[in-house]
Amino acid sequence: MLQFTQEEMLAIRNKVTNSVLNRLIEDNKMVISNQTLITPDNRATWNLYYFCPEHAVRLDWRWDKPTEHCCPIDGKAFYGEPYDGAWWRGLNGLNSKACYELGLLWQLTQQISYFEKVREILLGYAKHYPDYQPHGGIPYNGPGKANAQTLCEANCHLDFVRGYDFIREQLSVEDRVYIEKRLLREGAEFLIEHRADQLHNHEMKTSATIGVIGLIIDEPEYIDFALNSKYGLKYQLAEGVNSDGMWFEGSIHYHYYALQALLAFEKVAYRTQYSVHADPNYYKMLAFPLSLLSATGDFPRLNDCIAGQEKLSHSHLFEFAYRQFDDPLFARALINIYQHSPRDNLDALLYGVPDLPVLPPLLCQPQHAPTSGLTKMYDEQSGNMLLLKHAPYGGEHDHYDRLGLIICRNGREILPDIGTTGYGAELHYGYYKNTVTHNTLAVEQENQPPAIPVCLDYQQTSSFTFVDTLVDWSETVLELDSHTIKQWDDETYTNVSYRRSILWLPDIAIDINQVLNPHNKQLDLIWHVRGELCVQQCWQEVNNPLNGPLNRMHSCRQHSIQGLQSYHFDIQEQPKFHFHLYSLQNSTVLTGLAPDNPATQDLSYLLLRNKETSFKAIAIYDLTLTQSITVDCVEWKNDFIRLELTQDTVKKKIEIDLENAKILLS
């Protein structure tokens, strides 16, 4: 066994708890208690098809219902494809996971039934695997054999080979040869053939699996390919991680997914000459995202992030990382994780130190990371936070929301990034992934093209924080070394530029928007609020005038605005949220309701619409819980802005000189 020495496994056996054993048994109950079922052909497709098309939630997977797939929200059943094929993908996942976890149970308990089940699964797949036909058609992905994409193939083989490692010494020579030749080598060769030439988290997982197979069956050619070939693990670390330590795709979920792949390799390789421990980007990838925790206690749902993936729950990374690096930062990450669950899990058992130090948990903190294009402003006393995304385009898993923002009031997201759902669900490409479902600028309701925003200025003082950013779609962007499908409109955004400047005070944020629009396109500054707009007399009911993703918006109203207008939103379990909007030119405000995530409830949308060649607007976010702020005056002349505010009879004057980046508070 390569994953653990005999001494290590003996120590693990001596400290394993009944709760861990029972959880392993319960998590694999369907495989243990049923006759081994293996797909006889290439009918398995994609697990991300297994989502309700209406509510965008995962369907209930049932062992005994391979042709009936029910929504957990309303019980509606779905039949046929793509759900049947996705069901079989779920079965492959259960079987491969059982290989690893029941193999471990065999090592922990020496109960022969677990050994026999793993052997049966491995021999069953070895029987069929060479005859599975490559198939695919999944966006952005290469084909699979047992499954419909190369990534799924890698995920299954990683568990197959680690389970094999647990039982190999008890197998006959004949069984070993059969499994290694027909399953593990066949799988590695297929993955080598279909690993794409791109920077991507998929290629991290594919390379890691090839490398782990190479380590466990002692095949140096596989290890060398996994580590040293172009687009292998070392190349991905060198080219896919920026100087902050952020993975280029810009999604915190996929950052950790890529890192999870790397650690899957490192957990087997760390005692060998093939360890990546010394690569500085390995450590930085572990550390950097921890600085991005939101005021909610979770990560922001930047780019592709399915509900739940925003949680700091990565014990499988940080138990091993803390043991390997002995860094208090990783201990604090574990302390966060175990605030809500006991430290009685598989990761702590296999890789954890005996006791964690007594340290404070990680909290939200201000952060300015211009390379990663993320600026987070935070007031600890109030729990208010604003995050501005001025990140470069990150490819497949990015969303088209340059200069998008997230706002939290008292630890609750009120202007959220709503992430996405399963990629096979219509709402992913049809709604969540688009520019118009983010708090940013859209032109003609089309998606923003790839761009690299610039940070013009950043100031942080004891009184305020100021960040000034610009995205200019007339600038040429080098093609990303990662496969993408064009889902934007270059022509619509020709020569458009968008400058967004944020002045942050503890209880108020001033959001200054300037758009150059030389071809008089339809501009929409978009906000969506997790609350209900209080309707005022100025609103007129209208039919939804929008095409594209927001054509599903309902209960639409609009009114004209020039100058200052205030809006008020009822927020669940909080006082009203007061949102003040100033438009320098005569504009239209459109409001309506459209899906939140999950799509079982709605958000309130507010769109400020204009076609001027030079459009200027200010949004003022009142983040107080009591003693709300009144906006008495807004003046904007050339690059000089003056505001007068009142809070509890106290007058405040704010002057912003955009040309010279000067802020005066009085």
Side-chain angles (χ1 to χ4, degrees):
M1 180 171 52
L2 189 60
Q3 294 171 81
F4 303 99
T5 65
Q6 290 184 350
E7 292 78 11
E8 286 173 332
M9 185 51 68
L10 179 60
I12 291 168
R13 285 178 192 150
N14 288 335
K15 67 178 181 179
V16 67
T17 63
N18 286 333
S19 62
V20 169
L21 292 174
N22 291 337
R23 196 153 52 246
L24 281 170
I25 294 168
E26 181 63 27
D27 288 349
N28 292 278
K29 187 175 180 180
M30 283 186 284
V31 175
I32 294 170
S33 58
N34 288 282
Q35 183 177 358
T36 298
L37 178 63
I38 293 171
T39 177
D41 51 36
N42 60 328
R43 67 185 66 183
T45 57
W46 196 24
N47 54 325
L48 290 178
Y49 285 140
Y50 215 65
F51 278 75
C52 172
E54 179 180 352
H55 299 108
V57 296
R58 197 178 297 272
L59 301 175
D60 284 333
W61 194 97
R62 293 280 300 273
W63 181 282
D64 58 340
K65 293 189 175 182
T67 60
E68 182 180 326
H69 319 285
C70 293
C71 173
I73 302 298
D74 60 6
K76 181 179 179 179
F78 298 89
Y79 301 92
E81 296 298 344
Y83 310 106
D84 289 354
W87 185 95
W88 284 94
R89 169 63 185 96
L91 177 72
N92 284 340
L94 284 177
N95 282 339
S96 59
K97 181 173 76 74
C99 275
Y100 172 69
E101 294 186 354
L102 297 184
L104 177 60
L105 266 173
W106 153 248
Q107 285 290 336
L108 295 174
T109 67
Q110 296 294 287
Q111 185 170 324
I112 193 65
S113 62
Y114 301 136
F115 168 84
E116 291 294 349
K117 179 61 77 169
V118 177
R119 175 180 177 272
E120 189 175 3
I121 292 171
L122 289 171
L123 289 174
Y125 276 97
K127 175 183 177 182
H128 292 288
Y129 195 79
D131 298 323
Y132 289 150
Q133 296 302 303
H135 60 293
I138 308 303
Y140 296 102
N141 289 281
K145 275 171 67 76
N147 308 291
Q149 64 165 344
T150 311
L151 175 66
C152 291
E153 215 67 16
N155 281 324
C156 287
H157 271 82
L158 182 61
D159 281 339
F160 286 150
V161 71
R162 293 188 299 168
Y164 172 72
D165 185 48
F166 283 137
I167 72 165
R168 175 175 52 179
E169 293 171 7
Q170 285 71 42
L171 289 170
S172 68
V173 173
E174 181 181 6
D175 283 350
R176 289 189 204 176
V177 170
Y178 192 80
I179 293 167
E180 289 190 14
K181 179 180 179 181
R182 295 180 60 86
L183 179 59
L184 302 180
R185 287 185 179 274
E186 281 271 345
E189 296 290 342
F190 182 84
L191 293 175
I192 288 170
E193 180 183 358
H194 293 285
R195 192 195 70 187
D197 292 343
Q198 65 168 341
L199 294 172
H200 203 282
N201 69 83
H202 288 193
E203 314 325 322
M204 286 280 267
K205 177 56 71 75
T206 302
S207 293
T209 300
I210 295 165
V212 172
I213 293 173
L215 288 165
I216 288 174
I217 70 172
D218 192 22
E219 180 51 79
E221 289 185 8
Y222 294 168
I223 303 170
D224 182 63
F225 180 86
L227 274 179
N228 301 317
S229 62
K230 189 175 182 181
Y231 300 106
L233 294 176
K234 290 183 178 178
Y235 184 88
Q236 298 281 341
L237 270 174
E239 301 296 328
V241 181
N242 69 25
S243 58
D244 294 327
M246 186 69 183
W247 182 244
F248 79 98
E249 291 182 90
S251 159
I252 296 171
H253 166 66
Y254 280 103
H255 176 106
Y256 278 133
Y257 192 81
L259 191 55
Q260 173 188 320
L262 189 64
L263 262 78
F265 176 83
E266 181 67 8
K267 287 174 181 178
V268 182
Y270 74 97
R271 281 187 295 256
T272 74
Q273 61 182 310
Y274 305 111
S275 171
V276 298
H277 173 267
D279 191 311
N281 279 349
Y282 170 43
Y283 171 84
K284 288 198 292 184
M285 281 190 78
L286 283 161
F288 176 71
L290 296 174
S291 68
L292 300 177
L293 280 174
S294 171
T296 63
D298 299 325
F299 293 113
R301 287 189 190 180
L302 300 170
N303 299 328
D304 278 352
C305 179
I306 297 172
Q309 294 174 341
E310 75 278 9
K311 301 294 182 183
L312 175 53
S313 58
H314 306 78
S315 58
H316 59 293
L317 303 181
F318 291 111
E319 289 285 4
F320 183 82
Y322 181 55
R323 187 182 76 175
Q324 191 172 42
F325 288 98
D326 192 26
D327 189 315
L329 178 64
F330 302 147
R332 293 180 68 192
L334 290 169
I335 289 165
N336 278 58
I337 292 168
Y338 297 130
Q339 284 179 319
H340 308 293
S341 62
R343 190 179 178 233
D344 186 23
N345 58 57
L346 204 55
D347 311 303
L349 171 69
L350 298 180
Y351 303 110
V353 300
D355 297 296
L356 296 176
V358 178
L359 292 169
L362 295 170
L363 300 173
C364 184
Q365 57 184 301
Q367 170 70 290
H368 178 58
T371 302
S372 300
L374 298 169
T375 297
K376 177 155 55 85
M377 294 163 258
Y378 177 63
D379 178 65
E380 183 177 357
Q381 184 175 354
S382 64
N384 297 334
M385 187 203 83
L386 184 148
L387 185 146
L388 179 64
K389 175 187 172 185
H390 46 101
Y393 177 66
E396 172 195 354
H397 289 296
D398 205 334
H399 289 189
Y400 310 104
D401 63 329
R402 309 278 78 74
L403 308 193
L405 59 78
I406 299 169
I407 294 180
C408 295
R409 185 178 70 167
N410 194 32
R412 176 189 290 271
E413 275 190 343
I414 55 173
L415 271 73
D417 186 321
I418 55 178
T420 192
T421 185
Y423 306 154
E426 186 276 333
L427 282 165
H428 171 62
Y429 290 115
Y431 181 70
Y432 291 118
K433 197 175 177 71
N434 299 280
T435 297
V436 294
T437 53
H438 294 79
N439 299 306
T440 187
L441 170 76
V443 181
E444 299 285 357
Q445 290 284 298
E446 298 287 348
N447 285 335
Q448 298 174 355
I452 301 177
V454 293
C455 183
L456 303 173
D457 185 49
Y458 176 76
Q459 302 176 44
Q460 186 177 26
T461 73
S462 59
S463 303
F464 67 85
T465 302
F466 179 71
V467 62
D468 192 4
T469 56
L470 174 70
V471 57
D472 186 347
W473 284 284
S474 66
E475 297 290 332
T476 301
V477 177
L478 295 177
E479 186 174 346
L480 194 66
D481 191 11
S482 189
H483 302 337
T484 58
I485 299 172
K486 185 177 179 181
Q487 296 172 313
W488 57 84
D489 190 320
D490 290 305
E491 183 178 353
T492 294
Y493 284 79
T494 299
N495 296 324
V496 173
S497 67
Y498 175 34
R499 183 177 176 185
R500 192 167 211 172
S501 315
I502 307 287
L503 176 62
W504 169 261
L505 307 171
D507 52 10
I508 191 169
I510 299 167
D511 176 9
I512 304 162
N513 298 269
Q514 302 178 77
V515 186
L516 292 181
N517 180 30
H519 306 296
N520 299 104
K521 300 290 187 179
Q522 175 65 65
L523 305 176
D524 287 302
L525 288 172
I526 301 166
W527 295 268
H528 55 226
V529 180
R530 193 162 275 152
E532 184 178 350
L533 177 66
C534 301
V535 177
Q536 299 160 282
Q537 289 185 350
C538 61
W539 293 107
Q540 176 186 359
E541 292 187 13
V542 295
N543 294 324
N544 185 351
L546 305 178
N547 296 315
L550 285 186
N551 67 357
R552 67 191 77 213
M553 196 166 74
H554 63 93
S555 304
C556 297
R557 296 178 173 89
Q558 71 179 31
H559 74 85
S560 296
I561 179 177
Q562 184 169 11
L564 183 66
Q565 179 70 45
S566 297
Y567 306 93
H568 312 284
F569 294 85
D570 288 324
I571 305 293
Q572 187 176 9
E573 299 178 2
Q574 283 195 0
K576 280 184 170 60
F577 167 54
H578 306 290
F579 178 114
H580 308 281
L581 192 55
Y582 173 83
S583 177
L584 191 61
Q585 296 94 348
N586 186 35
S587 305
T588 298
V589 178
L590 174 68
T591 187
L593 300 174
D596 198 343
N597 189 4
T600 52
Q601 59 188 24
D602 286 335
L603 295 158
S604 295
Y605 276 80
L606 203 69
L607 283 72
L608 181 61
R609 319 198 76 203
N610 193 280
K611 291 186 176 182
E612 297 286 341
T613 55
S614 177
F615 177 46
K616 296 181 178 182
I618 300 173
I620 302 168
Y621 311 111
D622 180 354
L623 303 179
T624 59
L625 294 178
T626 60
Q627 299 177 346
S628 60
I629 292 168
T630 301
V631 181
D632 302 316
C633 174
V634 180
E635 294 180 358
W636 190 343
K637 294 182 179 179
N638 298 321
D639 285 326
F640 188 83
I641 298 170
R642 186 173 69 87
L643 301 97
E644 293 183 4
L645 315 174
T646 302
Q647 182 180 18
D648 191 28
T649 73
V650 177
K651 299 285 187 179
K652 297 182 180 181
K653 291 184 179 180
I654 301 171
E655 296 181 347
I656 306 168
D657 182 347
L658 292 171
E659 182 177 4
N660 299 299
K662 291 183 178 180
I663 313 296
L664 179 63
L665 307 178
S666 60

